[in-house]
Structures are given as structure tokens and as C-alpha cells.
Amino acid sequence: MGEFEGKVVVVTGASKGIGLQTVKEFAARKARVVLVASNPDHIRTAMDSVREGREYVTGIPCDLSKPEEIQKLSRQVLDTFGTIDIVVSNVGAYSEKVPWDRIDEKTWHDSFSLNTLSSYYCAKYFGDFMIQHHIEGVIVCTGSSTALQYKRGRIHYTVSKSALHTLVQVLALDLARHHIRINVVSPGPTATETVQARMDDPARAEAEKIRLAKIPMGRYAEMSDIANAILFLASSKASYITGAILPVDGGYTIGETS
């Protein structure tokens, strides 16, 4: 994947988890990576954790729930690097289970702002530049297995991620004529810091064991499993793929093992 060397890559929601792992994978391949998160302190901590390719990583804080902040981000990136090749829209809002009739307006708003609309505005502002400058760019969004396998208790998360999946497919129709590809990686349960904390919590460990038993491949995804799928969709090996939803879930959304 030497093709990423020198490419300008923006990764949102990149201070931890899948986003940070994606930053590390691109940086190791000498891409010029912009690590985006809302908290400047978290950005500094994340950048300190990047070993291979650290010199290729720049951090920019941005509140991705606000369209005007995403527009400002796009201007900063373009002023700094002069171009954009790949956007990984990874930021998302997740919450614990809430009964369907107890979800307040703020929770709905936050879910759609981060899980759906942040990807739209990234596509809009970075995509406009790609179109104007005839760049055959790539956008990869992080969806969720909950948009493919519905469950009770997180209707706001499920609906907003389902909307993201549909958004990407519709955007693919409009962007294809400009030679811009946009796809979704849809992770299943992944061994992020948050999941590991749940596994280490005696009150939640049993529930995690039950969920793990439902994955046909018998393990949670490593963060590198998801990041590598993102890199694949961003690469020339996926040059004829757009509007796709790629489950990376060990068979989780196919059905339960028993």
C-alpha cells in the first residue's frame, strides 16, 4: 500500500479506538494524516501514542456536531496542505440502553448530529473541493452492525446509523460522476477501550460473554481489523467500489450461533 505515501487523509473521531488505529495505519504508510477530535488534550495524548510515522500526523480540534466547525476544519486542512485525498468520517455518538419512550430531544439531536450529519458535512465541504479540483477522492464512513441487525434499547443509535448507511448510498449516486467514491465500513463488536472496560467490569462481564458467544468467528474484532478494511476501501484495490456497506463483524449480523 505504498500508494498512500504523500496522500492527505483526514480522520475524524480519531483520538481513540478505531479512529486512532486508522490514523496509525495511514501514518505508517507515510500518508499525511490529520487527526481530528473535539478535545485538544485528547488529541495530544493520541498523537503521543503514534509511533511509526508520527512525523506525518497533524492534530486539529473540531466540534463535529456543528456544520460551521466542519467547514472551518476543511478550510484549515486545505490551507495547510493545499489538497485532500481521503476522508474517514469516523466520529459517532454512542450511549447506554434507553427505553424507546424515554429518549429526550437532546439525545436524538446528538445522535443524528454526530452519527449522520457529520458525515454529510464532511462529504459536502471536502467533496466540493474534490469536485472543483477534479480530485478522484475517497470518503469512508464508519457505520455500525446495529444498523444491520436491530436490537431493543438503542433506537436513537440504530436509526441514526441506519440513516448514515442510506446517506452514503445516496451520496454515492451523486459523487460517482465526479469520480469520487464513498463507502461504509460497518463494524460489529470491537475490542475498543470502551468494550475492554465493560469486560473488566464485574457487573457487565457476563453480558459481554453472552454477546461474544453470538459472534460466529468467536472473537471481537481487533481495531486493526476495522482500520484495515477502511484502508482497503480507500485504496486503488477498491477502485470500482462505491455505495457499499462492508460488514466487518466476524459474521455477527448474519445471525446468532445458537
Side-chain angles (χ1 to χ4, degrees):
M1 292 214 180
E3 67 179 277
F4 293 127
E5 185 171 354
K7 297 288 187 180
V8 177
V9 182
V10 171
V11 184
T12 72
S15 64
K16 61 181 180 179
I18 293 167
L20 179 54
Q21 186 63 41
T22 302
V23 168
K24 292 176 179 179
E25 299 291 349
F26 275 115
R29 292 162 174 80
K30 299 183 180 180
R32 294 178 289 173
V33 189
V34 181
L35 186 160
V36 181
S38 59
N39 188 309
D41 291 335
H42 293 172
I43 289 175
R44 284 190 287 271
T45 301
M47 291 180 67
D48 287 343
S49 74
V50 178
R51 298 291 181 259
E52 187 178 0
R54 169 67 181 80
E55 66 271 26
Y56 300 109
V57 182
T58 301
I60 298 180
C62 178
D63 182 349
L64 290 144
S65 69
K66 298 178 179 178
E68 64 272 18
E69 288 292 309
I70 298 175
Q71 185 177 28
K72 180 182 175 182
L73 169 68
S74 68
R75 289 171 178 162
Q76 285 180 276
V77 171
L78 297 172
D79 286 346
T80 301
F81 297 101
T83 191
I84 179 68
D85 298 293
I86 299 164
V87 177
V88 179
S89 183
N90 171 72
V91 71
Y94 189 75
S95 71
E96 296 301 324
K97 289 186 176 182
V98 182
W100 71 270
D101 56 348
R102 302 289 177 85
I103 304 169
D104 58 30
E105 183 178 358
K106 182 179 185 304
T107 301
W108 275 115
H109 182 271
D110 290 348
S111 295
F112 273 94
S113 292
L114 288 172
N115 293 337
T116 313
L117 295 178
S118 64
S119 289
Y120 167 75
Y121 286 109
C122 280
K124 172 180 170 61
Y125 293 121
F126 288 109
D128 280 349
F129 182 88
M130 291 174 180
I131 292 168
Q132 291 169 18
H133 293 82
H134 307 289
I135 297 168
E136 297 185 4
V138 182
I139 302 168
V140 183
C141 301
T142 303
S144 173
S145 61
T146 61
L148 302 173
Q149 186 186 65
Y150 306 143
K151 298 180 184 298
R152 295 188 185 94
R154 294 191 179 92
I155 187 172
H156 50 292
Y157 184 76
T158 299
V159 171
S160 58
K161 283 293 190 179
S162 295
L164 171 63
H165 287 199
T166 302
L167 170 71
V168 165
Q169 292 180 316
V170 176
L171 284 174
L173 295 175
D174 290 315
L175 294 174
R177 64 178 177 269
H178 301 291
H179 305 286
I180 298 169
R181 299 188 297 106
I182 181 168
N183 293 291
V184 174
V185 168
S186 182
T190 304
T192 62
E193 299 92 338
T194 301
V195 170
Q196 189 60 52
R198 289 203 298 262
M199 294 179 72
D200 293 339
D201 181 351
R204 299 186 178 187
E206 188 59 34
E208 289 301 316
K209 288 180 182 178
I210 292 171
R211 184 164 70 151
L212 181 61
K214 295 178 180 180
I215 301 173
M217 289 190 69
R219 66 173 178 88
Y220 286 151
E222 299 294 334
M223 289 184 283
S224 58
D225 292 324
I226 313 303
N228 286 332
I230 291 171
L231 265 68
F232 164 69
L233 287 175
S235 77
S236 61
K237 293 183 183 298
S239 62
Y240 200 58
I241 300 175
T242 196
I245 298 168
L246 176 61
V248 186
D249 61 10
Y252 185 61
T253 55
I254 295 172
E256 297 186 6
T257 55
S258 61

